[in-house]
Amino acid sequence: MKKEDVMNILDWKTKQSNVEVPFFPARVLLQDFTGIPAMVDFAAMREAVKILGGDPKKVHPARPTDLTVDHSLQIDFSKCAIQNAPNPGGGDVQKAGKLSPLRAQPKKLPCRGQTTCRGSCDSGEPGRNSGKFSSQIENTPILCPFHLQPVPEPETVLKNQEVEFGRNRERLQFFKWSSRVFKNVAVIPPGTGMAHQVNLEYLSRVVFEEDDLLFPDSVVGTDSHITMVNGLGILGWGVGGIETEAVMLGLPVSLTLPEVVGCELTGSSNPFVTSIDVVLGITKHLRQVGVAGKFVEFFGSGVSQLSIVDRTTIANMCPEYGAILSFFPVDNVTLKHLEHTGFDKAKLKSMETYLKAVKLFRHDQDNSGEPAYSQVIRIHLNSIVASVSGPKRPQDRVAVTDMKRDFQACLNEKVGFKGFQIAAEKQKDNISIHYEGSEYKLSHGSVVMAAVTSCTNNCNPSVMLAAGLLAKKAVDAGLHVKPYIRTSLSPGSGMVTHYLSSSGVLPYLSKLGFEVVGYGCSTCVGNTAPLSEAVLNAVKQGDLVTCGVLSGNKNFEGRLCDCVRANYLASPPLVVAYAIAGTVNIDFQTEPLGTDATGKSIYLQDIWPSREEVHQMEEERVVLSMFKALKEKMEMGNKRWNSLEAPDSVLFPWDLKSTYIRCPSFFDKLTKEPVALQPIENAHVLLYLGDSVTTDHISPAGSIARSSAAAKYLTNRGLTPREFNSYGARRGNDAVMTRGTFANIKLFNKFLGKPAPKTIHFPSGQTLDVFEAAELYQKEGVPLIILAGKKYGSGNSRDWAAKGPYLLGVKAVLAESYEKIHKDHLIGIGIAPLQFLPGENADSLGLSGRETFSLTFPEELSPGVTLTIKTSTGKVFTVIASFENDVEVTLYKHGGLLNFVARKFS
């Protein structure tokens, strides 16, 4: 960092939003879906450097890089009645895992040398924590009742993990090669936990120590949930996969000096509001205020009332309100949490001394006055009410008390961000189904999928324990969940299973169908087994708006399942409550969840656990032993990973027959020196899109549809649909990913006037898959652009949302506004992000998208320069080249970050 950069930061009041500053993160965190393209790019870069005459051995990450394999899990097995039902797009279970039809037998675990054990640790003998259902409920993890040592994982976990290793063997071997060949790369194997949660529980240092130098821990990575660690006082946020690779190579993150918004929290929340409600309440408030592209720091008396898990959950949601990050400074609550989780006491004392010396420690009673911020907003916690979000977007918050009225309004509204436009005479329709020998009725609002998912909200023990306590009270009252509802519990790590089991509530969750299915992203990214044929037929027959309820933080339309049109985000206890109710079309205040054995109506308030109950259980069960057990599990790895064979050659031995790992084509035209910027001439519009196009619409994700271009590619290589796996698993194959770009069935292309992953090839007039049209354009030598509205590229950070369009031949995107992370991706891959002038858009300029577009770049391209576009119809208009700083301009001139870095090595 130069002196000028330091002076700019010190003069932040006048320089903010006007100057760029470099930032060197201490470390990098990757998860496997986004990590595999990064590591494949590193492997390909070694090849490119060698071709240009350089030494490929020099290509190493310069910063510590942790890669967690947590996105490969698919739910092939769920509930107590284990069924060998393949996931849509999943591989052949028998081939991949060679599963035994026999139930895994429990084994007796030693008590790790304790001499005072007063009971058996045999998993076959129920202990005091197993609950009265221990003899009835199968596959429930049981702990030694005196030492809380876990016995073997439930059968569903073992079976899913076995299939995961068989299905993803090529990818896992590549990861293991990467950990052997590249310095500073550590791979955390499958079955350990989610990237964000492992980051919190194991990888975070808070204060970094390197070469006798102390400095604050900081992290960037390829996931929007990296921001979670800001709740622990660690500066971190998600960036593009391409920028992450630059950090791995020792380059800084270059960012415009941001405004820092101070968010003062005051008051206290009411007893029926969970941490998730606080999160959603703050999310809505900050979104309304407008903090996009800014840093947010929380302060005030309300901060001290929030636990670390509350803070991390709040910090996690900052991408949803547009902030770069939301930061909670280290304070006494942080230190107490770290002490409880087994942090070394000497390091804690050193940490406290250091942070106070550099004035990075927040004091509970600070008389120095309010910190200086660019802007201050205030939120009273007692104004927040229990709520859910949906039915199509996470920012559309609905008070639980208004849920029934709001859902009925959604049925009436026109099709849009909330509406489904169901005719009034059809809104009370119901369809009978026969399932497992009983008859049930489905109607609009019926819950068919309920998932306490492995996403970040599950890191909060209070809401998870609240769900368990609610389940216990529900079972005790004789309530149940209808068997056709696809229920699952996929925790963020084994620690969650540990404390649910030790608290005695896991058997009750399992009794209601919420059984642990594994550790990793599953339902919320579309990795779930299909609904029953009876349900699917009923939904189709009645054109029903059925619902999914999950405790994740993404609910974009079509994300869970094509047939589930309404998706609601809710706290874990509310997920269980709605599953019991069987519908979201219910007023919990006046309508019962069901009846007990005597016919007495049971209402939600009858089984809702009090804050005191939850806090008492949290204090008693979320203890040091749980964190120690997780750390031991991570450090030991697992037998499958430890025995996995992998090469150790300098260059990766690419298998030309592989459909998982392929050397990408980004470096095919790489030269030692960059060529001059070329004009874009007579470009056709590949897609004409509207507002709020997310990276889920652009980037391949979820299962591979049998009729898709990617499916045709895999079929031509001898694979059956059962072996397709998911797009995430095949991110290391650019041919699959390019074909899956813009393949989302909910993509609304204005050329077609309806949602479909298709477009028009204008020279021929054919309506084709997006890939097929792009392929024809490339054969004809025609460059492509994309027209879009506001907030193009919103949602999760996905580098393939830029890489895919680049490989399709897209040279520029012309939009009204962008999600910052995605715009960075576009620049990093070599696509020009163009922006309409304020107040202008394609409609106001009279553009149809059927004309061709031409523009020329000036020799001295600079940030924010205006460019002139000419169309084949004679229209001429001005746009902004949306480069924020000189670094972005330099990267674009090099054809993207990958080419820039490769040239540095050669």
Side-chain angles (χ1 to χ4, degrees):
M1 181 176 286
K2 302 175 183 177
K3 180 179 179 180
E4 180 185 0
D5 298 321
V6 176
M7 297 308 296
N8 283 336
I9 294 173
L10 292 176
D11 189 24
W12 60 272
K13 288 185 178 180
T14 59
K15 299 292 187 179
Q16 61 188 7
S17 302
N18 295 318
V19 298
E20 61 184 52
V21 292
F23 177 65
F24 291 84
R27 56 189 177 91
V28 171
L29 180 66
L30 307 172
Q31 44 93 336
D32 55 317
F33 269 21
T34 51
I36 192 166
M39 299 314 302
V40 166
D41 288 346
F42 263 69
M45 192 179 294
R46 283 194 162 196
E47 300 273 359
V49 168
K50 182 181 180 182
I51 291 173
L52 292 181
D55 184 1
K57 292 181 180 179
K58 292 182 178 180
V59 180
H60 290 287
R63 299 307 307 159
T65 300
D66 297 295
L67 190 153
T68 61
V69 185
D70 66 342
H71 275 50
S72 302
L73 176 68
Q74 297 184 19
I75 304 175
D76 293 282
F77 302 94
S78 64
K79 296 190 177 182
C80 299
I82 309 256
Q83 298 176 356
N84 192 345
N87 179 273
D92 189 319
V93 175
Q94 294 296 333
K95 286 184 180 180
K98 299 180 180 178
L99 301 181
S100 167
L102 301 176
R103 181 178 302 278
Q105 298 299 313
K107 299 178 182 178
K108 184 173 181 179
L109 295 183
C111 280
R112 303 182 186 277
Q114 294 96 330
T115 58
T116 57
C117 183
R118 295 169 291 156
S120 170
C121 289
D122 193 323
S123 62
E125 180 178 329
R128 67 183 182 193
N129 296 313
S130 58
K132 67 180 182 180
F133 290 103
S134 60
S135 60
Q136 305 169 18
I137 301 176
E138 303 174 17
N139 307 320
T140 301
I142 302 175
L143 307 178
C144 165
F146 302 106
H147 299 126
L148 302 182
Q149 300 298 336
V151 301
E153 299 278 11
E155 185 180 4
T156 48
V157 174
L158 295 176
K159 284 181 174 291
N160 281 319
Q161 286 181 358
E162 190 169 354
V163 175
E164 180 181 1
F165 265 82
R167 177 184 285 140
N168 297 288
R169 179 170 296 276
E170 283 185 57
R171 298 170 63 246
L172 296 178
Q173 287 175 327
F174 175 77
F175 284 140
K176 197 158 189 179
W177 171 82
S178 298
S179 66
R180 287 179 174 178
V181 173
F182 293 116
K183 298 176 182 177
N184 290 326
V185 172
V187 175
I188 299 166
T192 305
M194 293 286 293
H196 2 286
Q197 198 149 337
V198 168
N199 191 22
L200 281 172
E201 299 169 13
Y202 183 75
L203 301 175
S204 294
R205 282 85 153 173
V206 184
V207 172
F208 228 93
E209 184 174 353
E210 190 175 279
D211 298 329
D212 296 327
L213 178 67
L214 295 177
F215 54 93
D217 188 5
S218 57
V219 59
V220 295
T222 54
D223 196 292
S224 59
H225 304 307
I226 297 293
T227 54
M228 205 170 184
V229 296
N230 289 279
L232 200 60
I234 298 170
L235 194 69
W237 68 95
V239 297
I242 303 166
E243 295 94 329
T244 303
E245 293 175 35
V247 175
M248 292 167 66
L249 291 165
L251 300 176
V253 173
S254 182
L255 70 157
T256 302
L257 186 63
E259 295 181 41
V260 180
V261 177
C263 182
E264 183 179 16
L265 302 181
T266 60
S268 57
S269 57
N270 70 67
F272 297 101
V273 169
T274 69
S275 298
I276 309 306
D277 297 314
V278 175
V279 168
L280 296 177
I282 292 175
T283 296
K284 183 175 182 179
H285 189 90
L286 293 179
R287 183 180 286 274
Q288 290 173 340
V289 171
V291 292
K294 302 176 183 179
F295 283 15
V296 175
E297 181 173 323
F298 291 92
F299 71 103
S301 59
V303 174
S304 297
Q305 300 178 37
L306 300 177
S307 68
I308 289 298
V309 288
D310 291 336
R311 298 177 188 190
T312 54
T313 309
I314 293 169
N316 165 63
M317 291 296 283
C318 80
E320 308 310 323
Y321 44 81
I324 298 175
L325 59 87
S326 293
F327 186 75
F328 288 84
V330 174
D331 60 7
N332 289 326
V333 175
T334 314
L335 296 179
K336 186 176 180 181
H337 168 81
L338 294 173
E339 183 179 0
H340 286 167
T341 58
F343 225 81
D344 182 78
K345 290 186 178 180
K347 283 190 175 182
L348 271 179
K349 186 62 179 176
S350 173
M351 177 193 305
E352 181 179 2
T353 302
Y354 166 75
L355 292 173
K356 288 180 177 179
V358 296
K359 298 184 178 181
L360 290 176
F361 191 88
R362 191 188 80 86
H363 296 276
D364 293 332
Q365 301 296 332
D366 193 342
N367 298 321
S368 62
E370 185 179 284
Y373 296 108
S374 308
Q375 175 189 357
V376 173
I377 58 177
R378 291 176 172 85
I379 299 176
H380 299 285
L381 297 179
N382 54 8
S383 67
I384 296 174
V385 297
S387 64
V388 299
S389 285
K392 300 182 182 182
R393 303 187 302 176
Q395 65 263 37
D396 295 327
R397 184 167 168 251
V398 183
V400 172
T401 53
D402 295 334
M403 182 62 169
K404 183 171 185 176
R405 178 192 58 78
D406 188 82
F407 180 74
Q408 291 174 344
C410 291
L411 294 181
N412 288 318
E413 287 184 23
K414 292 182 178 180
V415 175
F417 292 137
K418 290 201 63 152
F420 297 101
Q421 200 171 357
I422 302 299
E425 65 273 15
K426 297 287 187 180
Q427 291 181 15
K428 295 187 182 299
D429 288 358
N430 58 71
I431 306 295
S432 296
I433 67 169
H434 293 274
Y435 190 83
E436 295 185 353
S438 298
E439 183 178 348
Y440 303 92
K441 292 185 181 297
L442 292 184
S443 59
H444 297 293
S446 289
V447 174
V448 296
M449 190 177 294
V452 178
T453 71
S454 63
C455 202
T456 48
N457 295 338
N458 289 11
C459 79
N460 194 320
S462 66
V463 292
M464 291 298 292
L465 292 172
L469 284 170
L470 187 143
K472 180 181 184 302
K473 292 186 177 187
V475 172
D476 288 344
L479 300 177
H480 63 277
V481 174
K482 295 178 179 63
Y484 61 79
I485 297 176
R486 176 71 65 183
T487 52
S488 62
L489 169 59
S490 184
S493 78
M495 187 196 77
V496 180
T497 304
H498 200 147
Y499 65 66
L500 287 177
S501 181
S502 66
S503 63
V505 299
L506 193 57
Y508 299 92
L509 285 165
S510 183
K511 180 72 173 178
L512 294 179
F514 292 94
E515 181 172 321
V516 176
V517 295
Y519 306 101
C521 279
S522 49
T523 302
C524 59
V525 293
N527 288 349
T528 188
L531 299 174
S532 69
E533 288 296 324
V535 171
L536 293 174
N537 291 337
V539 171
K540 184 177 181 180
Q541 179 185 343
D543 190 27
L544 298 178
V545 179
T546 54
C547 302
V549 188
L550 68 155
S551 62
N553 62 4
K554 291 290 192 300
N555 64 330
F556 298 119
E557 188 177 8
R559 186 180 178 101
L560 303 188
C561 178
D562 297 345
C563 61
V564 182
R565 294 159 67 182
N567 300 306
Y568 287 92
L569 304 180
S571 63
L574 281 176
V575 171
V576 178
Y578 279 112
I580 295 170
T583 180
V584 300
N585 196 14
I586 182 174
D587 182 348
F588 283 137
Q589 292 181 305
T590 61
E591 299 178 62
L593 295 173
T595 58
D596 63 13
T598 66
K600 176 185 175 182
S601 294
I602 305 297
Y603 293 84
L604 180 58
Q605 56 263 37
D606 298 328
I607 62 172
W608 189 271
S610 69
R611 184 175 295 274
E612 290 72 24
E613 288 178 282
V614 175
H615 283 174
Q616 181 181 357
M617 182 171 286
E618 185 176 9
E619 288 297 320
E620 292 176 355
R621 301 303 180 185
V622 185
V623 293
L624 172 61
S625 63
M626 299 178 183
F627 286 88
K628 283 186 174 179
L630 175 64
K631 290 178 180 180
E632 288 176 2
K633 180 179 180 180
M634 292 178 62
E635 291 167 359
M636 291 174 60
N638 60 61
K639 291 182 179 179
R640 291 188 182 93
W641 174 260
N642 294 340
S643 62
L644 185 69
E645 295 182 357
D648 54 9
S649 53
V650 173
L651 300 178
F652 184 72
W654 307 100
D655 181 357
L656 298 180
K657 296 181 180 180
S658 174
T659 55
Y660 278 100
I661 308 295
R662 201 176 96 126
C663 188
S665 56
F666 302 119
F667 301 104
D668 285 357
K669 298 179 181 179
L670 180 64
T671 58
K672 279 203 170 186
E673 298 297 331
V675 298
L677 290 177
Q678 300 298 306
I680 300 175
E681 297 179 336
N682 300 317
H684 269 289
V685 176
L686 179 63
L687 292 161
Y688 184 6
L689 307 172
D691 297 340
S692 297
V693 173
T694 71
T695 51
D696 281 346
H697 289 112
I698 307 168
S699 179
S703 58
I704 298 174
R706 296 189 180 193
S707 60
S708 66
K712 295 174 187 176
Y713 169 84
L714 294 173
T715 301
N716 289 339
R717 278 149 185 79
L719 274 67
T720 65
R722 290 167 63 89
E723 298 170 313
F724 286 171
N725 210 323
S726 65
Y727 282 113
R730 296 191 182 274
R731 282 194 183 187
N733 186 318
D734 62 321
V736 171
M737 297 300 286
T738 305
R739 285 163 172 80
T741 302
F742 294 114
N744 190 307
I745 61 170
K746 298 298 182 182
L747 180 74
F748 190 90
N749 183 1
K750 292 186 178 182
F751 289 148
L752 305 179
K754 62 180 180 180
K758 295 181 179 295
T759 194
I760 297 174
H761 176 254
F762 288 110
S764 67
Q766 299 179 80
T767 298
L768 303 169
D769 287 341
V770 175
F771 171 79
E772 293 172 344
E775 189 176 38
L776 275 181
Y777 279 125
Q778 290 200 47
K779 288 179 180 178
E780 297 161 355
V782 176
L784 299 171
I785 67 169
I786 291 170
L787 285 182
K790 300 181 182 70
K791 298 181 180 178
Y792 180 76
S794 58
N796 278 349
S797 163
R798 301 186 189 277
D799 59 337
W800 268 104
K803 288 180 176 178
Y806 174 82
L807 293 178
L808 287 175
V810 173
K811 303 299 182 183
V813 176
L814 177 53
E816 291 182 63
S817 63
Y818 293 88
E819 177 80 14
K820 182 181 183 340
I821 292 179
H822 181 63
K823 182 169 69 68
D824 292 345
H825 278 198
L826 293 176
I827 297 169
I829 199 62
I831 294 177
L834 308 179
Q835 192 166 334
F836 289 105
L837 295 179
E840 294 185 352
N841 55 39
D843 289 336
S844 68
L845 293 172
L847 303 176
S848 68
R850 296 173 180 269
E851 56 272 275
T852 60
F853 296 73
S854 300
L855 75 153
T856 302
F857 296 97
E859 290 185 13
E860 297 300 322
L861 186 64
S862 60
V865 67
T866 57
L867 305 173
T868 300
I869 292 182
K870 299 179 181 179
T871 71
S872 56
T873 59
K875 284 189 172 64
V876 179
F877 60 96
T878 302
V879 299
I880 301 169
S882 192
F883 301 105
E884 294 185 13
N885 50 57
D886 293 334
V887 173
E888 291 185 349
V889 171
T890 299
L891 294 180
Y892 182 72
K893 286 181 175 180
H894 275 267
L897 181 59
L898 295 176
N899 289 345
F900 174 78
V901 174
R903 288 188 177 106
K904 290 287 185 181
F905 279 118
S906 58

